[in-house]
Amino acid sequence: MSEKPAGTAGTPGGSDVAAMWQNSPPGSLYDYIRVASFSLGPDGRIEQWSERAAELFGIEARQAVGKDPLEVFAPAVPGQRSEPTAPFLGEGGLDGREWTGLVPYRRDGHEQGLAEIYVMPTENERGERAALCVAVDVRALRAIETDIAASEAVFGQSPLGFFFFGTDLTLLRVNESFAQTFGRPAGWHRGRTPHDFLPRNEADRLTSALRQVLDSGKPVSDIQLVGPVPGRSERRRWSVSLYRLHSGSGRPIGVAALATDVTGRRRAEREAAGVRRNLALLNEAGARIGNSLDLEVTARELLDVAVPQFCDLASVDLYQGLLVGDEAPPGLADGSGELRRVAYASAVSGAPVDGTDKPIQVGEVHRYPFQSPCAAALRTAHVQTVPRRESEEGPELGAVVQSTLAVPMVARDTVVGLVQFARTKGSEPFGERDTALAVELAARAAVCIDNAWLYRREHERALILQRSLLPPGAPEAAGLEIAARYLPGNTATEVGGDWFDVIELPGHRTALVVGDVMGRGLRAAVAMGELRTAVRTLAMLDLEPAEVLSALDEIAHGLGTPGGKQSASRGVRGSVRAADLSEVYLATCVYAVYDPVTRRATVANAGHLPPVLVEAGRPARLLDVLPGMPLGVGGEPFEETEIELPDGALLALYTDGLVESRDHPLDEGLQAFRDALTDPARPLEEVCDHVLSALDTHHGEDDIALLMARLRGLPETHVGDWTLPPEARSVARAREMARDQLQAWDMADLVDTTELLVSELVTNALRYGEGEIRLRLLLDRTLVCEVWDGGLVQPRRRRARDTDEGGRGLQLVGLLSAAWGSRRTPIGKTVWFELALPDGDSPPPDAVEALLSLY
């Protein structure tokens, strides 16, 4: 429809008429309500029928005009009695009274809906009574009411700020959340523009975005606006999203917007960015500090990390007795002992870090005055803030330093020196988080210095301990050919926290383990031994790989907290000790269980580098396993990844010392490692030697552990697998199948023993288990028999009395087998036993003698 004025210009009041009498644009409220009209003549019959009425009721004018309304709205149904006339003909309209009511109507002879009809009395030109009727579809009316109620609820109760702009970019309506966000009453905003409540630049940006959305119809998200709020001193930040509103016919009628106060979120983002920077700095410190047993080199490494990333100036002072003596000195309790400045770094030329008139030179021996903050830090083992001091030499020296931290270096409850971190004018002063980071940096350096103290004393002990913890000889496992290499990071100490292990599990499965305890020296070796022992203990329980790492994580977390979790916050000395040990007892580990029957491996990872798989005709690739968190962090779950491994493939587990050093990044080392694994068919020992010769393994920075396994699954002919129904005759059937299988394997010497033990296990499965029974025999270096059932109750050995008729089955299994046990499965349990293969020298156990020995 056109919006051209319908009035005539040039007539009196023509301009006013033109402004009032004009066609409405499409999309008015009547398009939603669907109002229809018709009229009644003096005889009560329909005299006029609008097109809207025809559309609403589905009846053309020629079918309605001249008829009784009752015939139109409710045509007679055969076999049903109808009312004599429409109710509003007698109650209103033609008798001069208005009438409003609900009238059901039918379309095509069926009930279709309900119309609300308003009857208004009229007169024709002859003065006869007539009526004008307006009808509205009740369903459409109710829908509009529901929409309005829902819209009001969302608009009024939403915690987000809602506001609507008209096409002239003035505010039409805002909700209370918006009013609270921008600090003024809701009524104040009506009719305002963005320039009324935002700074000029921000208002221009919002106005431009509003025009863009209004013209293009494309929504705009997350416009960041900054401005003041009345009654608040802090500037606020808002996130605003815009989208265009349309009428029922699609005509743009304005722009709707959502506003959220994100000031707190931005503050949190800045804090998170600071935390990330600090974590990155700590990570760099862990990689760069402590790579040498030289005290001065360690001090310079600390300053290389701190300047200029953390501060502008820094110095390190160590006790003179520490530098000249063979044993770790206790340090003077009053903090007045002699110190030597061993390192100094500055991003600002000519600025004294200690704020004195004469800067202390590197190599100079000095003492701090008793009342000075530096002496207090040495005396109390607490961080001290050095007050700013103007130098007499002018602003070039003294006035440039605005904030200094004096941080004691504490190792094994002993203060060994002092680090000073300083920031100059223009830098942000040290805050609480900065102080904590400074303490952590100093603690890391102190641990490295402490390692240097203990080097000679720990050397022999660490050598003996580490050699005793590594697996002796070449490990063996069913379905696997294994080769391993271990290179210490420093040939002088031969001590570190890397380890590998090969653990045989029930069912000819094998656990392959590689781990790396963070840190160096005797403490790391002790932690490695404890964790390796814990891994073996947990593996013997036949837990899933993720469960093993979860339990190991709890063990590592407990090892790093002296006296348990409760003592971690006891005073300065206790907390320093806890932090020091936690550094050592953090570890990474990858735990993989290979099943030669299914030729699948289940892998769980605790922050370790992923294994490498080499298949014939394909380049080596990193297995896609979830990384997980390192052991000792505590509280984080571990996930498992199941991978199918073809026969003949190589699986390599390793520590980061093999692929990472200062000379090349981790990605380059991993690529070089994969390039060295090109021929999986070569003898495994040659493959290991080739890898160590191709990679940079002489950097001496970290230990290297390499564990390689060639996968050779059990042949199908070495596996017997049967499913038995839960009935008594299954016991005899199980004995028969076991006997036939052993005879097929030419293991007649084991038939009697196997039959007896299989009978016991299947009988127990029938008596105490649930569901179908599965019997499986596996032949490799030993004979393994497994009986599976759906019961959850684990078998338990008990000592039968002489008068008991039963209760000796598991005792018999223990006497006749080389090993036996039970493990959980996702749907029940598996009870197994293992028999040594006959070697011709020693006869198999006598089942009759074993049975008689039970009585």
Side-chain angles (χ1 to χ4, degrees), residues 753-765 767-768 795-801 804-817 819-821 831-833 847 850-851 853-855:
T753 302
T754 304
E755 276 192 285
L756 178 60
L757 299 187
V758 165
S759 177
E760 290 294 338
L761 296 189
V762 174
T763 300
N764 284 347
R767 182 175 299 174
Y768 305 109
R796 180 175 60 88
R797 291 181 60 178
R798 65 181 181 89
R799 185 173 299 277
R801 294 173 297 184
D804 291 342
E805 296 182 0
R808 298 177 177 85
L810 293 181
Q811 295 185 47
L812 187 64
V813 173
L815 286 173
L816 295 178
S817 64
W820 78 279
V831 184
W832 58 272
F833 66 83
L851 185 62
S853 68
L854 298 178
Y855 293 91

Side-chain angles (χ1 to χ4, degrees), residues 516-750:
D516 184 2
V517 177
M518 298 181 186
R520 302 293 300 277
L522 181 60
R523 194 174 296 169
V526 171
M528 178 264 282
E530 292 175 318
L531 294 178
R532 178 176 177 270
T533 302
V535 170
R536 279 192 159 268
T537 304
L538 295 169
M540 290 297 100
L541 298 177
D542 210 356
L543 303 176
E544 295 296 326
E547 295 177 326
V548 171
L549 292 188
S550 296
L552 199 63
D553 179 51
E554 292 295 328
I555 293 173
H557 189 65
L559 291 176
T561 305
K565 298 180 180 179
Q566 295 178 352
S567 65
S569 60
R570 292 180 183 174
V572 176
R573 295 180 178 269
S575 61
V576 171
R577 178 70 170 172
D580 187 23
L581 288 177
S582 296
E583 173 73 15
V584 172
Y585 283 108
L586 285 176
T588 63
C589 180
V590 60
Y591 185 93
V593 175
Y594 174 67
D595 188 341
V597 179
T598 63
R599 292 169 173 77
R600 300 183 71 86
T602 304
V603 185
N605 193 2
H608 204 81
L609 294 173
V612 174
L613 179 65
V614 190
E615 302 179 55
R618 298 182 59 183
R621 61 186 177 90
L622 295 173
L623 293 182
D624 187 13
V625 297
L626 297 174
M629 296 296 292
L631 302 175
V633 173
E636 294 295 330
F638 296 94
E639 302 292 339
E640 296 177 354
T641 303
E642 191 171 358
I643 304 167
E644 188 170 354
L645 303 175
D647 285 351
L650 291 183
L651 185 65
L653 285 72
Y654 52 96
T655 57
D656 56 359
L658 180 66
V659 294
E660 186 178 24
S661 72
R662 293 183 182 180
D663 299 330
H664 57 79
L666 177 61
D667 291 343
E668 293 181 6
L670 288 173
Q671 185 60 50
F673 182 35
R674 293 196 295 269
D675 293 342
L677 297 172
T678 55
D679 187 5
R682 294 175 62 182
L684 206 54
E685 295 291 337
E686 293 184 11
V687 175
C688 290
D689 293 337
H690 174 68
V691 168
L692 295 182
S693 62
L695 273 65
D696 178 19
T697 58
H698 302 289
H699 49 73
E701 298 174 10
D702 197 2
D703 302 335
I704 295 174
L706 174 63
L707 177 62
M708 300 197 69
R710 176 173 284 117
L711 310 171
R712 303 193 183 280
L714 289 182
E716 294 184 0
T717 56
H718 285 213
V719 179
D721 198 341
W722 306 275
T723 301
L724 303 171
E727 53 189 31
R729 61 181 179 177
S730 293
V731 178
R733 179 60 179 157
R735 289 196 300 267
E736 178 184 353
M737 290 186 293
R739 180 175 61 252
D740 294 343
Q741 185 65 72
L742 290 177
Q743 291 174 350
W745 286 338
D746 196 19
M747 295 286 172
D749 293 342
L750 298 180

Side-chain angles (χ1 to χ4, degrees), residues 125-202:
E125 68 277 4
R126 296 186 297 275
E128 298 173 326
R129 288 286 186 180
L132 177 63
C133 303
V134 178
V136 180
D137 189 346
V138 173
R139 291 178 302 177
L141 195 61
R142 297 295 181 267
I144 291 174
E145 291 175 350
T146 302
D147 290 345
I148 292 175
S151 145
E152 287 292 333
V154 172
F155 188 86
Q157 300 173 17
S158 172
L160 301 177
F162 275 94
F163 54 107
F164 302 144
F165 283 93
T167 54
D168 58 352
L169 302 188
T170 60
L171 280 170
L172 300 178
R173 186 180 181 189
V174 302
N175 67 352
E176 286 298 327
S177 296
F178 176 88
Q180 293 175 5
T181 298
F182 284 86
R184 289 185 175 90
W188 181 91
H189 291 85
R190 293 188 182 92
R192 304 279 183 172
T193 67
H195 289 82
D196 294 323
F197 56 90
L198 287 174
R200 180 176 178 180
N201 291 339
E202 302 297 279

Side-chain angles (χ1 to χ4, degrees), residues 4 27 48 61 150 240 248 253 314 342 440 445 473 478 489 511 534 611 642 676 690 714 726 754 774 837 839 847-848:
K4 183 177 180 181
Q48 290 182 330
V240 178
I253 60 174
V342 295
E440 180 64 24
E642 191 171 358
H690 174 68
L714 289 182
T754 304
R774 182 182 176 189
L837 301 183
D839 55 7
V848 176

